[in-house]
Amino acid sequence: KWIVDNDVDENESYPQIKEAAKLLKKGEVVAFPTETVYGLGGDATSDQAVDKIFLAKGRPSDNPLIVHIGYKEQLSSIVTHVPMKAEKLIEQFWPGPLTIILPKKAGLSEKVTAGLSTVAVRMPAHPVALALLKEVNLPIAAPSANLSGKPSPTLAKHVINDLEGRISGVVDGGPTGVGLESTVLDCTGEVPVILRPGGVTKEQIEEVVGAVEVDQALVDEKEAPKSPGMKYTHYAPDALLMIVEGSKSFLQAKIEEYQKEGKRVGVLTTMENQTFYQADVIKTCGTRANLVTVASQLYDTLRSFNECELDVILSESFPYDGVGQAIMNRLTKAAGHKIISE
Ligand code: TXA
Ligand code: MG
């Protein structure tokens, strides 16, 4: 069943959202938009519902899910304790793209947390997500609504392409916005640790709570990540994707090298550089003047390369600060850490 509901007004009541809530209460799984990416929701207190999520995505069961709530008050029924720094961050960034890891309370399905003693919680900022979560009034486990390994969905059609026939429905709220998953922040220790960079930047978090650490695995690919999901290959398009660090003419020379080998070559660039290159396919992803636009279009652009029958995709690289941190984290994973430097 495909529940379609574009053009949402926060103050209206929608039969589609009621329908989706009913399915969730019955233990079914339904996809819905959030401000980051589409999520695949299921009742976080039900083993059967959580099983359905893992099954639909083909997700390894040792990779825990984020629990979504519609009211801040629900937090105390999920976690044992909210440290001062976490409280400040919640005050500042919820609803929004910040997921907080805290010590978990009994009551959730053990499968949500993959047996860990901690739980990831977030309150999304999308009006459809909030309306749905409030209507259900249950903690909802929701990973990104893609097949495991594919780029996360930023449009309902991405969800349908990946999961049609495997889930009970999708609420279509149009394009998601941020376009990359939430920042995952471990708040169980004295100093908060970023396990996954995302919509809320390190700089923004530091403004609220002072020093923040970054999981070493994000910096050094040989380290084992603390967030189980970060060890898996992700987001990869069908063609061989490589990131090119250096000048535009260096990238153009690389294009020609591969073309001489008889390969069909695509380029991932931005608006300002698109006319510079000559390749088989050129796709633009936002503007460098505002990296938020790159983040919001990245996954759709990666997915759309799959329609082009390419052998190689060469991507420009992006600065590592602000939201660039999250962009480069996802792009590097999509490229399997293959970077060509001038
Ligand atoms: O933006 C988002 O966060 C989206 C939308 C739907 O809300 N959700 C999302 O969920 O990206 P998922 O399941 O694809 O990613 C959850 C990440 C994984 O890397 C997982 O390993 C990590 O959070 N995680 C979950 N619980 C954890 C825990 N207790 N400790 C450490 N990492 C955890
Ligand atoms: Mg995911």
Side-chain angles (χ1 to χ4, degrees), residues 211-287:
V212 169
E213 282 173 10
V214 176
D215 183 6
Q216 252 326 98
L218 296 177
V219 185
D220 179 353
E221 64 172 292
K222 284 176 225 68
E223 290 286 319
K226 293 198 179 66
S227 174
M230 296 301 279
K231 70 174 182 274
Y232 293 105
T233 319
H234 256 114
Y235 322 122
D238 297 338
L240 178 67
L241 171 66
M242 289 175 272
I243 302 170
V244 180
E245 281 178 343
S247 62
K248 297 198 278 289
S249 36
F250 178 68
L251 201 156
Q252 182 61 41
K254 288 286 151 196
I255 296 170
E256 286 159 26
E257 259 175 50
Y258 284 108
Q259 285 181 326
K260 272 201 199 107
E261 295 174 12
K263 304 220 155 102
R264 270 176 58 79
V265 182
V267 175
L268 194 161
T269 179
T270 50
M271 256 144 66
E272 35 278 279
N273 296 348
Q274 59 177 319
T275 55
F276 185 88
Y277 301 110
Q278 281 174 314
D280 296 291
V281 173
I282 294 172
K283 289 200 182 277
T284 65
C285 182
T287 163

Side-chain angles (χ1 to χ4, degrees), residues 37-38 57 59 63 66 142-153 181 196 229 234-235 299:
V37 300
Y38 277 77
K57 282 183 59 87
R59 178 171 173 124
N63 188 4
I66 296 174
S144 49
N146 51 292
L147 280 176
S148 203
K150 298 262 181 142
S152 297
E181 303 85 344
R196 178 176 76 181
H234 256 114
Y235 322 122
Y299 289 151

Side-chain angles (χ1 to χ4, degrees), residues 289-303:
N290 182 4
L291 289 184
V292 165
T293 62
V294 176
S296 81
Q297 292 168 37
L298 183 65
Y299 289 151
D300 184 48
T301 310
L302 286 176
R303 278 179 182 260

Side-chain angles (χ1 to χ4, degrees), residues 96-332:
L98 179 67
T99 294
I100 297 184
I101 311 269
L102 291 169
K104 89 169 171 189
K105 218 178 218 178
L108 295 177
S109 162
E110 280 293 321
K111 300 183 175 196
V112 170
T113 52
L116 298 175
S117 60
T118 55
V119 59
V121 192
R122 109 172 176 94
M123 181 177 178
H126 196 289
V128 173
L130 281 178
L132 179 60
L133 291 166
K134 286 178 175 160
E135 179 77 31
V136 185
N137 199 18
L138 281 168
I140 295 296
S144 49
N146 51 292
L147 280 176
S148 203
K150 298 262 181 142
S152 297
T154 53
L155 292 169
K157 79 164 189 220
H158 299 156
V159 179
I160 294 170
N161 286 344
D162 278 15
L163 299 179
E164 182 162 26
R166 305 168 76 101
I167 64 177
S168 295
V170 56
V171 184
D172 184 348
T176 50
V178 177
L180 300 178
E181 303 85 344
S182 61
T183 306
V184 177
L185 188 70
D186 183 346
C187 287
T188 58
E190 185 47 41
V191 180
V193 186
I194 295 179
L195 305 186
R196 178 176 76 181
V200 175
T201 65
K202 177 167 188 267
E203 293 84 346
Q204 288 173 310
I205 297 170
E206 281 176 336
E207 259 177 51
V208 179
V209 292
V212 169
E213 282 173 10
V214 176
D215 183 6
Q216 252 326 98
L218 296 177
V219 185
D220 179 353
E221 64 172 292
K222 284 176 225 68
E223 290 286 319
K226 293 198 179 66
S227 174
M230 296 301 279
K231 70 174 182 274
Y232 293 105
T233 319
H234 256 114
Y235 322 122
D238 297 338
L240 178 67
L241 171 66
M242 289 175 272
I243 302 170
V244 180
E245 281 178 343
S247 62
K248 297 198 278 289
S249 36
F250 178 68
L251 201 156
Q252 182 61 41
K254 288 286 151 196
I255 296 170
E256 286 159 26
E257 259 175 50
Y258 284 108
Q259 285 181 326
K260 272 201 199 107
E261 295 174 12
K263 304 220 155 102
R264 270 176 58 79
V265 182
V267 175
L268 194 161
T269 179
T270 50
M271 256 144 66
E272 35 278 279
N273 296 348
Q274 59 177 319
T275 55
F276 185 88
Y277 301 110
Q278 281 174 314
D280 296 291
V281 173
I282 294 172
K283 289 200 182 277
T284 65
C285 182
T287 163
R288 284 176 181 274
N290 182 4
L291 289 184
V292 165
T293 62
V294 176
S296 81
Q297 292 168 37
L298 183 65
Y299 289 151
D300 184 48
T301 310
L302 286 176
R303 278 179 182 260
S304 68
F305 273 117
N306 287 348
E307 289 145 29
C308 305
E309 314 231 334
L310 297 167
D311 301 298
V312 174
I313 302 164
L314 299 175
S315 173
E316 291 184 342
S317 71
F318 295 90
Y320 279 88
D321 37 48
V323 70
Q325 186 98 51
I327 294 170
M328 286 307 288
N329 171 263
R330 306 309 193 275
L331 205 50
T332 311

